[in-house]
Amino acid sequence: QVQLVESGGGLVQVGGSLKLSCAASGSTTFSITKMNWYRQAPGKQRELVASISSGGVTNYADSVKGRFTISSDFPKNTGFLQMNSLKFEDTAVYYCNVGGVVVTAPWAEQYYWGRGTQVTVSS
């Protein structure tokens, strides 16, 4: 019903930057209330990197605070993760996770996942 597509991943050297994008589509009645970015490195559990609410409240994992910036344009069903000063430890598959509601069931928040985009930071 709602599809998320991440883009912007790739290979970058330590200290470099990347900007990830997340675009939601598939439902004209879906309204985003929250967007999260998760990442999962090989052999590790998926972890929350950053989040932003429709009210603009942001949160970051301690490991990325000061280096990453999350932003959104919810009326256009998009969000971004600006990643600066990248470290080798940032290497992971990054996933967009979106929460929202549809007008027919505004009491029920639904969550959707993107397929992920690979970020590789060379040491």
Side-chain angles (χ1 to χ4, degrees):
Q1 192 170 21
V2 176
Q3 295 82 43
L4 304 181
V5 179
E6 302 100 332
S7 61
L11 176 64
V12 66
Q13 292 182 315
V14 171
S17 299
L18 285 173
K19 187 175 184 178
L20 306 183
S21 300
C22 177
S25 63
S27 176
T28 59
T29 60
F30 184 76
S31 297
I32 297 174
T33 58
K34 188 175 183 180
M35 178 174 285
N36 307 300
W37 285 96
Y38 286 80
R39 69 184 181 188
Q40 187 167 24
K44 296 184 178 180
Q45 296 185 33
R46 187 172 297 184
E47 64 174 345
L48 179 64
V49 176
S51 64
I52 186 169
S53 70
S54 59
V57 178
T58 59
N59 284 284
Y60 299 93
D62 289 340
S63 59
V64 306
K65 193 171 185 178
R67 300 187 297 119
F68 291 9
T69 302
I70 188 171
S71 61
S72 63
D73 189 357
F74 287 163
K76 295 183 179 179
N77 296 317
T78 58
F80 308 93
L81 184 67
Q82 178 67 50
M83 310 164 66
N84 298 325
S85 302
L86 283 163
K87 303 176 180 179
F88 175 78
E89 294 77 22
D90 295 319
T91 297
V93 177
Y94 284 72
Y95 298 91
C96 180
N97 171 250
V98 167
V101 298
V102 294
V103 294
T104 53
W107 59 88
E109 192 170 49
Q110 304 175 21
Y111 283 86
Y112 297 90
W113 289 90
R115 288 162 50 87
T117 184
Q118 177 71 49
V119 172
T120 302
V121 184
S122 62
S123 61

